[in-house]
Amino acid sequence: MHKFVAIVGSNSDDSTNRKLLQFMKRHFAAQAEIDLVEIKDLPMFNKPENRQVPAAATAIAEKIDQADGVIISTPEYDHSAPAVLMNALEWLSFHIHPFVDKPVMIIGASYGSLGTSRAQAHLRQILDSPELRARIMPSSEFLLGHSLQAFDDEGNLVDQQKLAKLTGLFTDFQTFVDITKELNHANEVNRKEVQNVNWDKL
């Protein structure tokens, strides 16, 4: 059984992105183990001179290292991923590199009708950066619009077409994870390159 880390890309206590991940954890429990991870308590990234990474960030990095893949659920603020999520990714690429060649599935929920399409596109660019180098599952947007009305009182998705798409994409992600395990011939070089990034000159 696959083990996934699911990052809640919001610091809101009432985030529908958290609800979406909580639903996935329950609904796909027979297929995979999903561990929800919060990022809202991470300090603001400030590129510390002593290169000290906060314990909360290293704990998340260790979970990602041990996981088969990562699921990130992002809101959309101003056509972009939220600052709290970008802050987390900055810590997770500052002298620690858990995302190198790690399979990632991006999803998102928003109150509007378009879901989080622009935030997801932005997040793909960030995760593909030289400091992160994640392997993002291609052609796999899951956009949950009108998310305040998307769940019933038990936290289940009510739109069966959306559920069918999420189920298909989650199955595809598991296949993507298995395929990615075979695409590891440059992993050692990739890790050396990110370790050699000179943050003092960035």
Side-chain angles (χ1 to χ4, degrees), residues 10-23:
S10 172
N11 56 2
S12 169
D13 291 335
D14 299 318
S15 173
T16 52
N17 285 277
R18 184 180 295 104
K19 286 185 178 180
L20 177 56
L21 291 174
Q22 289 171 337
F23 168 73

Side-chain angles (χ1 to χ4, degrees), residues 24-173:
M24 291 179 68
K25 179 182 175 73
R26 295 192 310 272
H27 189 74
F28 300 123
Q31 300 179 41
E33 179 183 326
I34 300 176
D35 181 14
L36 263 66
V37 169
E38 300 283 352
I39 58 174
K40 57 185 177 179
D41 293 327
L42 287 172
M44 183 177 294
F45 181 75
N46 61 354
K47 200 167 75 170
E49 292 184 5
N50 64 3
R51 300 186 177 186
Q52 186 68 39
V53 179
T58 57
I60 295 173
E62 288 172 4
K63 287 188 175 185
I64 294 173
D65 277 332
Q66 296 168 11
D68 296 304
V70 179
I71 304 167
I72 302 177
S73 190
T74 180
E76 181 169 314
Y77 299 155
D78 302 326
H79 291 175
S80 178
V84 66
L85 179 53
M86 289 186 279
N87 181 67
L89 294 175
E90 286 169 348
W91 279 121
L92 292 170
S93 58
F94 181 70
H95 301 294
I96 52 176
H97 308 285
F99 277 102
V100 174
D101 294 332
K102 185 68 65 172
V104 176
M105 177 183 184
I106 302 174
I107 61 176
S110 72
Y111 297 167
S113 60
L114 297 179
T116 60
S117 58
R118 294 185 180 181
Q120 290 193 34
H122 184 207
L123 186 55
R124 283 178 179 274
Q125 289 182 314
I126 295 171
L127 288 166
D128 197 37
S129 68
E131 295 81 15
L132 284 159
R133 302 196 189 198
R135 293 190 183 273
I136 309 104
M137 186 168 74
S139 304
S140 59
E141 286 187 335
F142 180 75
L143 310 173
L144 185 63
H146 301 298
S147 58
L148 288 175
Q149 296 82 38
F151 302 94
D152 62 21
D153 292 339
E154 283 74 43
N156 299 313
L157 278 177
V158 296
D159 188 324
Q160 293 303 301
Q161 185 173 342
K162 286 289 186 183
L163 175 56
K165 181 168 185 179
L166 180 61
T167 300
L169 290 175
F170 187 72
T171 301
D172 286 347
F173 182 55

